[in-house]
Amino acid sequence: MATKHTRTLVTAALPYANGKIHLGHLAGAYLPADIYVRYLRSMKRDVVFICGSDEHGVPITITAEQEKITPQAVVDRYHAMNRSAFEKFGMSFDNYSRTSLPLHHETAREFFLRLLGNGVLTEKTESQFYDEQAGMFLPDRYVEGTCPVCKNPDARGDQCEKCGTFLNPTELIDPKSRISGKKPSVRETKHWYFPLGRYQARLEEYIRDASGRDGWKQNVLQYCQGWFREGLQDRAVTRDLDWGVRIPLPGFEKKVLYVWFDAVLGYISGTKEWAAATGDPQKWKRYWTDPSTKYVAFIGKDNVVCHCIVFPARLVAW
């Protein structure tokens, strides 16, 4: 028997705080979400609309280095700019939050520690590029080279934008550091991983049920099925970087949570911030832990894997 929904949580993909939003962004994820929320409100439904800035990750640190400012200065600039743009356009978010807030860092660390305590995460030693001249490990986007699949000479260490292939930096042909421009060496480092493949059967069932019940778009379903056919692999949860949510573990003080892991948790921390502002700090749980709440996410096509496969798997594991 289907669960009767008494409230709706709506989220719109967190825009990256490393550039200006434009009409394409608004037309893609935000305007449709706003129209849907306004409709629910007109029907006197219980609905909360959450968004905010995604403020961690390598592109932000690269911008900071290029401009010789701090990453915080970069995200402060674009968060304010994009929030103002949304306000001028009339977006009706109940809360527009940001992932650099202490509340978000606390939420992300709590999520990480719970998965770790439940034995979900696994520690692995892996080979990673290291810039000898800069004296630092190189996270994926600090490395560029030729894609081993389509031979695009400008592929990033995490993904080839031309053919869409997700990559490990060490798979690149003729890699070079974005810091020094030199060919990096390879050193060993330790990271925590999330075993995504362990949840594949549950995810396939979830997506099959959701597609029939909620009318998922065919291109989204096909994208997910493509990932299932290839078999879901472990995904790194931590990375060697100065900017981000710090890992609260001995020996991992110089590592942060991978942005794919912490960013979507911004929906939860953003709901927590909203709840606190209403005077009822525990109110967020009604929208995230009560099965009578319907969750609707408005995303762009580049957000499909994270929102339709990775995030649901982590919520199941949590």
Side-chain angles (χ1 to χ4, degrees):
M1 182 176 179
T3 300
K4 182 178 180 181
H5 296 121
T6 59
R7 66 185 68 83
T8 305
L9 170 66
V10 178
T11 64
L14 307 184
Y16 208 45
N18 196 43
K20 300 177 182 179
I21 58 170
H22 51 68
L23 287 175
H25 292 126
L26 290 168
Y30 307 106
L31 182 57
D34 193 68
I35 292 172
Y36 177 64
V37 168
R38 288 173 185 271
Y39 165 74
L40 293 178
R41 289 173 181 152
S42 74
M43 301 291 287
K44 306 302 181 183
R45 302 285 179 81
D46 181 351
V47 56
V48 172
F49 187 18
I50 301 295
C51 193
S53 295
D54 177 359
E55 299 183 317
H56 298 133
V58 170
I60 288 168
T61 62
I62 290 176
T63 296
E65 289 165 2
Q66 291 172 341
E67 298 186 17
K68 301 187 185 308
I69 58 177
T70 65
Q72 188 67 55
V74 174
V75 299
D76 285 347
R77 177 205 307 163
Y78 287 109
H79 172 74
M81 191 181 297
N82 290 339
R83 180 170 186 164
S84 174
F86 281 132
E87 289 173 350
K88 290 177 180 177
F89 196 74
M91 302 302 295
S92 60
F93 303 125
D94 287 293
N95 189 34
Y96 188 79
S97 191
R98 56 191 307 190
T99 62
S100 64
L101 291 177
L103 175 61
H104 175 75
H105 282 229
E106 175 187 322
T107 300
R109 279 193 288 264
E110 179 184 347
F111 205 100
F112 169 80
L113 290 174
R114 178 160 176 169
L115 293 182
L116 187 64
N118 289 342
V120 174
L121 306 180
T122 57
E123 184 181 345
K124 296 183 182 181
T125 297
E126 63 177 43
S127 296
Q128 187 172 332
F129 282 133
Y130 188 86
D131 189 321
E132 300 288 350
Q133 182 171 316
M136 62 178 286
F137 280 103
L138 299 172
D140 45 33
R141 293 198 182 189
Y142 272 85
V143 186
E144 293 181 335
T146 298
C147 174
V149 177
C150 71
K151 303 302 186 278
N152 168 29
D154 299 315
R156 301 193 313 249
D158 62 340
Q159 181 180 2
C160 175
E161 292 293 336
K162 185 174 182 181
C163 69
T165 301
F166 283 83
L167 301 168
N168 184 306
T170 55
E171 296 175 325
L172 291 173
I173 300 169
D174 297 325
K176 64 178 180 180
S177 167
R178 291 190 62 172
I179 302 297
S180 65
K182 305 293 184 180
K183 181 177 180 179
S185 61
V186 177
R187 292 191 182 185
E188 289 190 341
T189 185
K190 291 182 179 181
H191 287 291
W192 290 100
Y193 277 76
F194 180 80
L196 193 57
R198 185 187 304 175
Y199 302 94
Q200 179 161 337
R202 177 68 183 87
L203 287 169
E204 291 188 78
E205 177 186 356
Y206 156 70
I207 288 175
R208 182 170 57 250
D209 291 346
S211 63
R213 181 178 65 247
D214 296 328
W216 285 26
K217 292 184 177 180
Q218 282 301 310
N219 65 321
V220 174
L221 294 173
Q222 291 170 5
Y223 203 93
C224 292
Q225 291 301 331
W227 271 67
F228 292 148
R229 283 192 297 272
E230 293 179 6
L232 301 181
Q233 305 298 315
D234 294 354
R235 290 177 68 93
V237 169
T238 57
R239 64 186 345 189
D240 294 290
L241 196 65
D242 290 331
W243 176 245
V245 179
R246 292 286 181 183
I247 304 300
L249 294 174
F252 284 82
E253 295 88 349
K254 294 185 178 181
K255 299 179 188 292
V256 298
L257 290 177
Y258 216 132
V259 67
W260 72 261
F261 185 92
D262 97 79
V264 289
L265 297 178
Y267 300 136
I268 297 177
S269 61
T271 312
K272 286 183 176 181
E273 185 185 23
W274 163 80
T278 69
D280 183 0
Q282 298 303 310
K283 192 175 181 179
W284 71 274
K285 294 181 180 179
R286 300 178 199 170
Y287 297 87
W288 282 102
T289 65
D290 189 332
S292 64
T293 296
K294 180 178 182 178
Y295 175 36
V296 182
F298 285 80
I299 60 175
K301 63 181 180 180
D302 57 339
N303 300 132
V304 170
V305 172
C306 189
H307 287 72
C308 298
I309 293 179
V310 180
F311 191 31
R314 287 167 52 197
L315 292 176
V316 169
W318 193 76

